Amino acid sequence: DIVMFNQGTSLLHMPRINLNLIDAPVYQYLGKRIIVTYQGCDIRLCEMCPVRKEIAKYDKCKNVPTGLTYAQYDKRKIKLYNIWREYADAILGITPDLCRVDGVVYSPHAKYLPTINTKRKRNIRDKQRDKYLIAHMFKKHHKGSEWIEKELQRLCSKYPNRLEYIKIGGLSWRGCLETLSSCDILIDQVLLGWYGGISVEAALLGT
């Protein structure tokens, strides 16, 4: 059997009371194979972020636990990662930056697992319309959405008959795909991280 954990956690993981991944050795003892997947800020070190905090406003990132400094949060991540190095059979990161940041490999045992989807979907955008529909999945703080939205609003005001901005948010996965399928352009996140899963979906839609 294979046991898979997401975001570097486990079933019995209570860092607030310093009980970290206490069930990890149990699965190994039971002969289970363990796979751990990291998604982003669960392993990306704050102090090694390629975009400085004053630009990316990483200090507003809601993922930083209350009461911890950047250095303390990084120390916790490294501690958990080292526990998984001992017990996990495979450690996966969904984007390359989770294994290498600023040229420094801080998770040398992690392997890059690309986000893929091989089922091509139908694009329903109206090729006869005059306007280009530009979509962006808005996310506050460290993804650069404030800057992207501000610029898109400026461009749409300048070219009201040619451009239209669609903010994606609060939708189900199916609703998100339907919105993407009607758009001409998707602008993904900037500043922090790599590409998002939404870019993979948009590429398969031909957006």
Side-chain angles (χ1 to χ4, degrees):
D1 291 344
I2 296 176
V3 182
M4 188 168 184
F5 295 109
N6 193 31
Q7 295 186 321
T9 63
S10 69
L11 295 178
L12 296 177
H13 176 56
M14 295 165 280
R16 291 186 178 182
I17 55 175
N18 202 32
L19 294 178
N20 299 306
L21 310 177
I22 59 176
D23 52 334
V26 175
Y27 305 110
Q28 188 182 69
Y29 175 78
L30 294 175
K32 311 297 183 182
R33 302 195 68 181
I34 302 173
I35 298 176
V36 179
T37 302
Y38 285 103
Q39 301 283 341
C41 289
D42 45 14
I43 187 60
R44 186 186 294 114
L45 301 184
C46 304
E47 296 297 340
M48 295 177 66
C49 175
V51 181
R52 298 282 67 88
K53 295 194 294 281
E54 61 270 17
I55 298 176
K57 300 190 184 300
Y58 194 87
D59 54 326
K60 293 184 179 180
C61 178
K62 66 180 180 180
N63 295 317
V64 179
T66 303
L68 292 185
T69 64
Y70 303 119
Q72 290 171 332
Y73 191 33
D74 285 350
K75 186 176 180 180
R76 176 189 288 183
K77 292 177 185 180
I78 293 171
K79 180 179 180 179
L80 298 180
Y81 178 78
N82 285 331
I83 293 175
W84 282 130
R85 280 184 56 188
E86 182 177 354
Y87 295 107
D89 295 279
I91 300 175
L92 307 175
I94 65 167
T95 57
D97 65 311
L98 303 184
C99 301
R100 181 182 295 270
V101 173
D102 277 352
V104 179
V105 179
Y106 65 89
S107 50
H109 299 273
K111 297 180 180 179
Y112 170 41
L113 177 67
T115 301
I116 61 173
N117 187 334
T118 58
K119 186 177 180 181
R120 188 171 181 85
K121 304 173 181 66
R122 185 169 61 94
N123 191 294
I124 60 172
R125 68 177 182 272
D126 182 3
K127 297 181 180 180
Q128 302 300 317
R129 65 170 178 249
D130 295 327
K131 286 188 175 182
Y132 288 96
L133 300 186
I134 306 174
H136 174 63
M137 180 171 283
F138 189 91
K139 187 172 183 179
K140 292 183 178 180
H141 308 320
H142 57 283
K143 295 296 186 178
S145 289
E146 294 96 332
W147 295 350
I148 293 171
E149 184 172 75
K150 183 178 179 180
E151 185 61 20
L152 285 176
Q153 290 173 342
R154 185 187 70 80
L155 289 172
C156 289
S157 297
K158 186 176 181 179
Y159 305 103
N161 298 322
R162 297 293 291 163
L163 302 176
E164 182 177 341
Y165 166 45
I166 297 178
K167 180 190 292 188
I168 299 178
L171 300 174
S172 64
W173 174 70
R174 188 176 300 276
C176 179
L177 291 183
E178 291 176 355
T179 301
L180 278 177
S181 68
S182 66
C183 295
D184 300 285
I185 299 171
L186 168 73
I187 299 179
D188 200 349
Q189 64 194 30
V190 298
L191 295 181
L192 184 65
W194 210 260
Y195 61 85
I198 192 172
S199 288
V200 179
E201 301 283 7
L204 286 165
L205 286 166
T207 302

Short mmCIF file of all heavy atoms in Angstrom, two decimals, residues 37-40 43-44 92-100 107 110-115 189 193-197:
data_model
loop_
_atom_site.label_atom_id
_atom_site.label_comp_id
_atom_site.label_asym_id
_atom_site.label_seq_id
_atom_site.Cartn_x
_atom_site.Cartn_y
_atom_site.Cartn_z
N THR A 37 3.85 15.28 -0.91
CA THR A 37 3.78 16.29 -1.96
C THR A 37 3.75 17.68 -1.34
O THR A 37 3.00 17.95 -0.41
CB THR A 37 2.51 16.10 -2.82
OG1 THR A 37 2.53 14.79 -3.38
CG2 THR A 37 2.47 17.12 -3.95
N TYR A 38 4.58 18.58 -1.89
CA TYR A 38 4.59 19.98 -1.48
C TYR A 38 3.97 20.84 -2.58
O TYR A 38 4.21 20.61 -3.76
CB TYR A 38 6.01 20.45 -1.18
CG TYR A 38 6.55 19.93 0.12
CD1 TYR A 38 7.47 18.89 0.15
CD2 TYR A 38 6.14 20.49 1.33
CE1 TYR A 38 7.98 18.41 1.36
CE2 TYR A 38 6.64 20.02 2.54
CZ TYR A 38 7.55 18.98 2.54
OH TYR A 38 8.03 18.52 3.74
N GLN A 39 3.18 21.85 -2.16
CA GLN A 39 2.41 22.65 -3.10
C GLN A 39 2.96 24.06 -3.32
O GLN A 39 2.73 24.66 -4.36
CB GLN A 39 0.96 22.77 -2.62
CG GLN A 39 0.24 21.45 -2.46
CD GLN A 39 -0.21 20.85 -3.77
OE1 GLN A 39 -0.31 21.56 -4.77
NE2 GLN A 39 -0.47 19.57 -3.80
N GLY A 40 3.63 24.63 -2.32
CA GLY A 40 4.07 26.02 -2.47
C GLY A 40 4.69 26.55 -1.19
O GLY A 40 5.81 26.20 -0.82
N ILE A 43 6.69 24.62 1.67
CA ILE A 43 8.12 24.29 1.66
C ILE A 43 8.96 25.48 1.20
O ILE A 43 10.14 25.58 1.55
CB ILE A 43 8.41 23.07 0.76
CG1 ILE A 43 9.87 22.62 0.87
CG2 ILE A 43 8.04 23.37 -0.68
CD1 ILE A 43 10.29 22.22 2.25
N ARG A 44 8.40 26.40 0.46
CA ARG A 44 9.16 27.56 -0.03
C ARG A 44 9.61 28.40 1.16
O ARG A 44 8.80 28.84 1.97
CB ARG A 44 8.31 28.40 -0.98
CG ARG A 44 9.06 29.55 -1.63
CD ARG A 44 8.11 30.42 -2.44
NE ARG A 44 7.56 29.70 -3.58
CZ ARG A 44 6.28 29.39 -3.72
NH1 ARG A 44 5.41 29.73 -2.77
NH2 ARG A 44 5.85 28.76 -4.79
N LEU A 92 7.80 15.02 -3.41
CA LEU A 92 7.50 15.63 -4.70
C LEU A 92 7.14 17.10 -4.53
O LEU A 92 6.47 17.49 -3.58
CB LEU A 92 6.33 14.90 -5.37
CG LEU A 92 6.47 13.38 -5.51
CD1 LEU A 92 5.19 12.80 -6.09
CD2 LEU A 92 7.66 13.01 -6.38
N GLY A 93 7.57 17.93 -5.48
CA GLY A 93 7.18 19.33 -5.54
C GLY A 93 6.48 19.59 -6.86
O GLY A 93 6.96 19.12 -7.90
N ILE A 94 5.36 20.31 -6.85
CA ILE A 94 4.58 20.44 -8.08
C ILE A 94 5.13 21.48 -9.04
O ILE A 94 4.71 21.54 -10.19
CB ILE A 94 3.10 20.75 -7.77
CG1 ILE A 94 2.96 22.12 -7.10
CG2 ILE A 94 2.47 19.65 -6.94
CD1 ILE A 94 1.52 22.60 -7.06
N THR A 95 6.08 22.33 -8.58
CA THR A 95 6.73 23.28 -9.48
C THR A 95 8.23 23.29 -9.18
O THR A 95 8.64 23.02 -8.05
CB THR A 95 6.16 24.71 -9.34
OG1 THR A 95 6.30 25.14 -7.99
CG2 THR A 95 4.69 24.76 -9.75
N PRO A 96 9.06 23.63 -10.18
CA PRO A 96 10.51 23.54 -9.99
C PRO A 96 11.05 24.43 -8.87
O PRO A 96 12.06 24.09 -8.25
CB PRO A 96 11.06 23.99 -11.35
CG PRO A 96 9.96 23.72 -12.31
CD PRO A 96 8.70 23.98 -11.55
N ASP A 97 10.40 25.57 -8.61
CA ASP A 97 10.92 26.48 -7.59
C ASP A 97 10.84 25.90 -6.19
O ASP A 97 11.46 26.42 -5.26
CB ASP A 97 10.19 27.82 -7.63
CG ASP A 97 8.72 27.69 -7.26
OD1 ASP A 97 8.05 26.80 -7.81
OD2 ASP A 97 8.25 28.47 -6.42
N LEU A 98 10.09 24.83 -6.01
CA LEU A 98 9.99 24.21 -4.69
C LEU A 98 11.22 23.35 -4.39
O LEU A 98 11.39 22.89 -3.26
CB LEU A 98 8.72 23.35 -4.59
CG LEU A 98 7.42 24.10 -4.87
CD1 LEU A 98 6.22 23.19 -4.64
CD2 LEU A 98 7.32 25.35 -4.01
N CYS A 99 12.05 23.13 -5.39
CA CYS A 99 13.30 22.39 -5.19
C CYS A 99 14.51 23.29 -5.30
O CYS A 99 15.58 22.96 -4.81
CB CYS A 99 13.42 21.26 -6.21
SG CYS A 99 12.07 20.07 -6.16
N ARG A 100 14.35 24.45 -5.95
CA ARG A 100 15.50 25.32 -6.17
C ARG A 100 15.03 26.78 -6.13
O ARG A 100 14.12 27.16 -6.87
CB ARG A 100 16.15 25.03 -7.52
CG ARG A 100 17.37 25.87 -7.83
CD ARG A 100 17.91 25.52 -9.21
NE ARG A 100 18.41 24.17 -9.27
CZ ARG A 100 19.66 23.82 -8.99
NH1 ARG A 100 20.53 24.75 -8.64
NH2 ARG A 100 20.06 22.58 -9.07
N SER A 107 15.95 21.70 -1.09
CA SER A 107 15.26 20.42 -0.94
C SER A 107 15.84 19.45 -1.97
O SER A 107 15.17 19.07 -2.93
CB SER A 107 13.75 20.57 -1.12
OG SER A 107 13.45 21.28 -2.29
N ALA A 110 13.95 16.34 -3.14
CA ALA A 110 12.63 16.47 -3.75
C ALA A 110 12.71 16.32 -5.26
O ALA A 110 13.68 16.73 -5.89
CB ALA A 110 12.01 17.82 -3.40
N LYS A 111 11.69 15.74 -5.84
CA LYS A 111 11.61 15.57 -7.28
C LYS A 111 10.46 16.42 -7.83
O LYS A 111 9.43 16.57 -7.18
CB LYS A 111 11.38 14.10 -7.64
CG LYS A 111 12.53 13.19 -7.22
CD LYS A 111 12.25 11.74 -7.60
CE LYS A 111 13.41 10.84 -7.19
NZ LYS A 111 13.14 9.42 -7.54
N TYR A 112 10.67 16.95 -9.01
CA TYR A 112 9.67 17.80 -9.64
C TYR A 112 8.57 16.94 -10.24
O TYR A 112 8.82 16.06 -11.06
CB TYR A 112 10.35 18.65 -10.71
CG TYR A 112 9.42 19.41 -11.63
CD1 TYR A 112 8.28 20.04 -11.14
CD2 TYR A 112 9.70 19.51 -12.99
CE1 TYR A 112 7.44 20.73 -11.97
CE2 TYR A 112 8.86 20.21 -13.84
CZ TYR A 112 7.73 20.81 -13.33
OH TYR A 112 6.90 21.50 -14.16
N LEU A 113 7.33 17.19 -9.83
CA LEU A 113 6.16 16.49 -10.36
C LEU A 113 5.31 17.50 -11.10
O LEU A 113 4.56 18.26 -10.48
CB LEU A 113 5.35 15.84 -9.23
CG LEU A 113 4.07 15.14 -9.65
CD1 LEU A 113 4.38 13.90 -10.50
CD2 LEU A 113 3.25 14.73 -8.43
N PRO A 114 5.39 17.57 -12.42
CA PRO A 114 4.64 18.59 -13.18
C PRO A 114 3.13 18.43 -12.99
O PRO A 114 2.61 17.31 -12.87
CB PRO A 114 5.04 18.32 -14.63
CG PRO A 114 6.30 17.53 -14.55
CD PRO A 114 6.19 16.72 -13.30
N THR A 115 2.44 19.57 -12.96
CA THR A 115 0.98 19.56 -12.94
C THR A 115 0.51 19.40 -14.37
O THR A 115 0.75 20.27 -15.21
CB THR A 115 0.44 20.87 -12.36
OG1 THR A 115 0.94 21.03 -11.03
CG2 THR A 115 -1.08 20.86 -12.33
N GLN A 189 -0.38 34.06 -12.12
CA GLN A 189 0.26 34.76 -11.01
C GLN A 189 1.65 35.27 -11.42
O GLN A 189 2.30 34.72 -12.30
CB GLN A 189 0.39 33.84 -9.82
CG GLN A 189 1.29 32.63 -10.08
CD GLN A 189 1.14 31.57 -9.03
OE1 GLN A 189 0.09 31.41 -8.43
NE2 GLN A 189 2.20 30.81 -8.80
N GLY A 193 6.49 32.26 -6.83
CA GLY A 193 6.11 30.94 -7.30
C GLY A 193 6.38 30.74 -8.78
O GLY A 193 7.06 31.54 -9.42
N TRP A 194 5.82 29.69 -9.33
CA TRP A 194 6.02 29.32 -10.72
C TRP A 194 4.69 29.52 -11.43
O TRP A 194 4.01 30.50 -11.22
CB TRP A 194 6.48 27.85 -10.77
CG TRP A 194 7.37 27.52 -11.93
CD1 TRP A 194 7.01 26.90 -13.08
CD2 TRP A 194 8.78 27.76 -12.03
NE1 TRP A 194 8.08 26.74 -13.89
CE2 TRP A 194 9.20 27.25 -13.28
CE3 TRP A 194 9.72 28.35 -11.20
CZ2 TRP A 194 10.51 27.31 -13.72
CZ3 TRP A 194 11.03 28.41 -11.63
CH2 TRP A 194 11.42 27.89 -12.88
N TYR A 195 4.28 28.59 -12.27
CA TYR A 195 2.97 28.68 -12.90
C TYR A 195 1.93 28.04 -12.00
O TYR A 195 2.24 27.19 -11.17
CB TYR A 195 2.98 27.99 -14.27
CG TYR A 195 3.29 26.51 -14.19
CD1 TYR A 195 2.27 25.58 -13.94
CD2 TYR A 195 4.59 26.04 -14.33
CE1 TYR A 195 2.55 24.24 -13.85
CE2 TYR A 195 4.88 24.69 -14.24
CZ TYR A 195 3.86 23.80 -14.00
OH TYR A 195 4.13 22.46 -13.90
N GLY A 196 0.68 28.45 -12.17
CA GLY A 196 -0.39 27.85 -11.39
C GLY A 196 -1.10 26.77 -12.18
O GLY A 196 -0.97 26.67 -13.40
N GLY A 197 -1.86 25.94 -11.47
CA GLY A 197 -2.61 24.87 -12.14
C GLY A 197 -3.59 25.41 -13.16
O GLY A 197 -3.92 24.74 -14.15
#
